[in-house]
Amino acid sequence: MDSMIFDLDGTLWDPTDTILLAWESILKEDERIISKITKKDLKSVMGLQVPEIGKRLFPYLDEQTREQILEDCCLAENKYIEKYGGILYSYVEDVLKVLSQKYKLFIVSNCQDGYIEAFYQYHQLDQYFTDYENPGRTLLSKGENIKLIMERNHLFQSVYVGDTEGDQKAARYAGIPFVYAKYGFGQVREYDYVIETFDELVRIF
């Protein structure tokens, strides 16, 4: 194995409190929003691409309106993340430090452009990662972005660490093993490895 590729939300951290504050700053004055977005609502869509999030949270709005609202929310999200950060799971930095001495590390997340950069800015973890990718920059699916990262960085034996069924399918699409972060937001039935806590990665790899 030469590398490890990580999902972000539900795998490295839980940013939902900060995201909720950001979204509330945009939605509270918008008369088109008929129901308040809750933390449970946000957790239910973690890992999805932005257009799908819009369909699930605002099914009563037309596509153009959803796109405009989501764009505003995502811009606010990046600013709030950069300022307030999120909750890193236990031992994340310690584990990344150990793993980065043995493998090249990467992030592939279904987020908007600027989100991973905001994560790096607040938590100062970019020193452990070689590269990252997201559909906000490429307009590609997570599986395609994993393959892009592998091709761009000449990776041959990687694994993907994530917490949702979408992550599992993306790893399968890219043809690499999937490590299920069971402590995260999703429920996954099929996986190659499973971890109950982030630091178990050191024991497995």
Side-chain angles (χ1 to χ4, degrees):
M1 195 171 85
D2 56 12
S3 55
M4 301 181 73
I5 307 172
F6 294 88
D7 171 51
L8 184 48
D9 298 342
T11 300
L12 297 179
W13 72 341
D14 179 352
T16 47
D17 286 333
T18 302
I19 292 175
L20 188 60
L21 286 174
W23 282 46
E24 286 177 343
S25 73
I26 299 298
L27 301 178
K28 63 183 179 182
E29 303 297 337
D30 196 322
E31 295 180 352
R32 296 169 297 182
I33 305 302
I34 62 176
S35 59
K36 186 176 181 180
I37 299 299
T38 67
K39 187 173 180 178
K40 184 179 179 181
D41 292 331
L42 288 179
K43 286 193 172 185
S44 73
V45 297
M46 286 292 185
L48 300 178
Q49 289 198 12
V50 173
E52 184 61 29
I53 291 174
K55 290 178 183 178
R56 295 202 183 190
L57 296 184
F58 310 113
Y60 51 88
L61 298 176
D62 62 81
E63 184 175 354
Q64 185 176 358
T65 302
R66 282 200 302 262
E67 287 181 0
Q68 182 246 309
I69 289 174
L70 265 294
E71 182 178 351
D72 291 343
C73 285
C74 286
L75 288 173
E77 201 173 284
N78 289 351
K79 292 177 182 178
Y80 273 67
I81 290 292
E82 186 173 324
K83 185 175 182 180
Y84 300 110
I87 301 172
L88 290 177
Y89 291 121
S90 298
Y91 308 112
V92 161
E93 183 165 9
D94 294 335
V95 170
L96 292 176
K97 184 176 182 179
V98 171
L99 292 175
S100 65
Q101 294 171 0
K102 189 175 182 181
Y103 308 109
K104 290 183 177 180
L105 307 183
F106 305 85
I107 293 177
V108 172
S109 171
N110 268 347
C111 59
Q112 68 272 12
D113 192 22
Y115 185 86
I116 297 174
E117 294 91 330
F119 164 76
Y120 283 161
Q121 179 67 29
Y122 186 86
H123 291 288
Q124 299 293 302
L125 296 178
D126 51 309
Q127 60 185 304
Y128 303 113
F129 294 97
T130 301
D131 197 0
Y132 64 92
E133 202 51 90
N134 61 74
R137 297 202 305 186
T138 66
L139 301 179
L140 299 175
S141 70
K142 180 171 279 189
E144 291 170 321
N145 278 328
I146 291 173
K147 291 185 74 172
L148 178 62
I149 280 285
M150 294 179 68
E151 291 166 5
R152 191 160 71 203
N153 293 278
H154 310 291
L155 309 179
F156 299 99
Q157 291 183 304
S158 191
V159 299
Y160 188 69
V161 185
D163 66 306
T164 67
E165 188 175 342
D167 292 335
Q168 186 266 348
K169 290 179 179 178
R172 291 289 180 265
Y173 178 89
I176 60 175
F178 175 64
V179 182
Y180 172 35
K182 195 173 182 180
Y183 53 82
F185 300 138
Q187 298 289 326
V188 181
R189 297 179 186 177
E190 298 181 11
Y191 44 81
D192 299 289
Y193 306 92
V194 60
I195 53 174
E196 300 278 353
T197 56
F198 192 75
D199 58 306
E200 289 184 17
L201 285 173
V202 175
R203 175 180 58 81
I204 297 174
F205 299 104

